[in-house]
Amino acid sequence: MGKLLKVLTVFLFLLTIPAFIFGLANFQKRELLIGRTSKLERAVIELASTIEKAAPEATDPATHTSWDIDEVTDRPLDAPAESDFWESYEDKLEASAEERIIVSAEELSRYYKMGPDGKPVLDHRGLPATEGPGTMSEVIKKVAERAKEQYTLLGQTRNQLIAVREKLEEVAELLNEEKRLRRANLAEIKTLKEKITSLEDTIVQKDAEIARVNREKDDLQDQNNSLTNTIAERDQEIQSLNATIAQLKEEITRLSVDHGEGSRSSGVSGKGKGDILLAPGDKGVITRVEKEDAFVIVQLNEETVKEITSGDFAPVEMMVYRKTGDTEIIVTRIRITNPPNEKGKTIADNIFGWEQTPVEVGDVVRY
């Protein structure tokens, strides 16, 4: 009996060696399974927190501004056609759910479905049920379903973004074309404004010329009226003298005088309006030439303006010179017929027959 116990003791001792080895291996497997399960739990919890608990919905109807798609013409439109892009736009894709799925480690640790008595519920096979409410499988199933729904919503959002991008590119092309046309229109408007300004200046010059011609016309009419009155007075004097001569002839005949005394007549000189007295020297420059109308615009210097405007204005003639190298040539002779304006500019006629060479801007006016 003692020998048998010794044999059994040795045999048990020998069996404990592989048992110890297998125990160490199982312990390592156990630690591996525990660590893997713990990491999976943390990953599922973290992943679930990024998934929306329910699909978001747009609470308030959004209002979008439609854009005009009619052609741009000079025809005014009170109600232009507008784009229908926003009719197919889903506002709910912009909304975001406030709640996320929250999963605890306790929920993931419930592998079996537990009954009210705290014992696992058996399935149709008589084994503990691993699916159903309250189990880890049910939690993971709900998370996966919501993940699929959220992935579908993400696909719809991407499609909506593609549609928005394409429409934005279309609108950008239209905007670029309209801005190009706008720049061209602004350039044309600027050119037209410059032409209008030039025409306005020409109108002002023509009005000044018309006023000058009207003043000359009035002066000539006054001179004509004065000459007419003078002629009438001279005619009366001639008639009076003829009557006197006739009386003298009758008296000579009556007195029978062979020789009559000569008579002396005295002339009386009157003093009319004199010319403007100007100091010799340069008086200004030519700033504009109108060849067709034979007049120029003269910019007078301040001294000349004071000389001309110091008394009653009367037309004055001046010479025009041009410096070529070291010599000066005579260009023409002009007649200033109007007093200068507040800027010292005045209009002068290019006297016919005096022009030696065509007058140009920058020629010097000298008295």
Side-chain angles (χ1 to χ4, degrees):
M1 188 67 179
K3 292 181 179 179
L4 179 62
L5 290 175
K6 290 181 179 179
V7 172
L8 289 176
T9 302
V10 172
F11 182 73
L12 289 175
F13 178 75
L14 294 175
L15 289 178
T16 56
I17 294 173
F20 179 74
I21 294 173
F22 287 130
L24 290 177
N26 287 334
F27 180 79
Q28 293 177 354
K29 290 288 186 180
R30 176 177 174 275
E31 291 297 322
L32 176 64
L33 291 175
I34 291 174
R36 182 183 297 175
T37 302
S38 178
K39 286 185 177 294
L40 286 175
E41 285 181 354
R42 289 197 297 270
V44 171
I45 293 172
E46 185 177 356
L47 178 63
S49 65
T50 63
I51 299 175
E52 297 173 346
K53 189 174 183 180
E57 296 182 359
T59 55
D60 298 328
T63 57
H64 304 286
T65 303
S66 299
W67 58 90
D68 183 357
I69 59 175
D70 264 329
E71 294 183 355
V72 179
T73 62
D74 57 352
R75 178 173 57 90
L77 294 177
D78 295 332
E82 295 181 347
S83 173
D84 59 351
F85 173 76
W86 298 114
E87 294 180 1
S88 60
Y89 185 82
E90 298 185 16
D91 293 317
K92 68 178 183 179
L93 297 179
E94 297 181 8
S96 59
E98 296 181 357
E99 296 185 10
R100 301 288 187 273
I101 296 178
I102 299 176
V103 178
S104 64
E106 182 182 357
E107 291 176 319
L108 293 176
S109 64
R110 296 172 186 170
Y111 182 69
Y112 296 114
K113 182 178 181 180
M114 306 301 291
D117 55 356
K119 297 181 179 180
V121 178
L122 301 179
D123 59 8
H124 63 282
R125 297 173 300 175
L127 299 175
T130 58
E131 295 183 356
T135 64
M136 176 184 67
S137 175
E138 185 70 14
V139 173
I140 295 176
K141 182 179 179 181
K142 289 182 179 180
V143 172
E145 289 177 354
R146 280 299 307 135
K148 290 181 180 179
E149 293 176 1
Q150 189 164 331
Y151 182 77
T152 302
L153 186 65
L154 177 61
Q156 295 176 355
T157 304
R158 286 173 175 169
N159 293 332
Q160 187 71 68
L161 285 174
I162 293 173
V164 171
R165 176 182 57 78
E166 292 176 350
K167 183 57 66 175
L168 283 176
E169 291 176 351
E170 179 183 347
V171 173
E173 291 179 359
L174 293 175
L175 178 61
N176 292 338
E177 179 64 18
E178 290 301 322
K179 292 189 74 174
R180 185 186 66 79
L181 294 176
R182 174 64 175 168
R183 293 188 183 99
N185 292 337
L186 289 176
E188 184 177 359
I189 289 172
K190 181 180 179 181
T191 302
L192 292 176
K193 285 183 177 180
E194 292 175 352
K195 289 182 179 179
I196 291 172
T197 302
S198 177
L199 290 175
E200 288 177 348
D201 293 339
T202 303
I203 290 172
V204 171
Q205 294 174 1
K206 295 299 182 183
D207 290 341
E209 179 65 15
I210 291 172
R212 181 188 66 80
V213 172
N214 288 333
R215 286 194 297 271
E216 289 184 354
K217 179 182 177 182
D218 294 338
D219 292 341
L220 291 175
Q221 185 64 40
D222 293 340
Q223 293 178 8
N224 184 41
N225 294 336
S226 177
L227 291 175
T228 301
N229 294 333
T230 302
I231 292 171
E233 292 176 357
R234 294 296 182 268
D235 288 340
Q236 291 178 0
E237 291 179 0
I238 291 172
Q239 292 176 3
S240 177
L241 291 174
N242 289 334
T244 303
I245 291 171
Q247 291 177 0
L248 291 174
K249 286 182 178 180
E250 291 178 358
E251 186 176 355
I252 291 170
T253 303
R254 182 175 59 81
L255 296 175
S256 301
V257 179
D258 295 333
H259 299 283
E261 295 180 356
S263 64
R264 294 177 298 174
S265 63
S266 59
V268 180
S269 61
K271 185 178 180 181
K273 185 177 181 180
D275 295 334
I276 295 176
L277 297 179
L278 299 178
D282 294 342
K283 299 302 179 181
V285 293
I286 304 296
T287 60
R288 188 183 180 94
V289 178
E290 293 291 341
K291 295 182 179 180
E292 294 182 359
D293 298 327
F295 75 89
V296 296
I297 304 297
V298 182
Q299 176 65 58
L300 300 175
N301 54 39
E302 295 181 1
E303 293 76 8
T304 306
V305 172
K306 292 179 180 179
E307 291 174 343
I308 291 179
T309 59
S310 60
D312 295 333
F313 176 79
V316 59
E317 296 184 2
M318 297 185 185
M319 297 300 295
V320 179
Y321 292 85
R322 183 181 304 152
K323 187 173 183 180
T324 57
D326 297 333
T327 62
E328 284 187 342
I329 61 172
I330 297 176
V331 178
T332 186
R333 187 176 180 85
I334 60 173
R335 179 186 295 110
I336 297 176
T337 57
N338 294 293
N341 59 15
E342 65 275 4
K343 295 182 180 180
K345 290 186 177 182
T346 183
I347 299 175
D349 293 332
N350 190 356
I351 301 177
F352 177 76
W354 271 90
E355 191 172 52
Q356 305 299 314
T357 183
V359 64
E360 297 179 355
V361 175
D363 288 346
V364 178
V365 177
R366 185 176 299 166
Y367 183 75

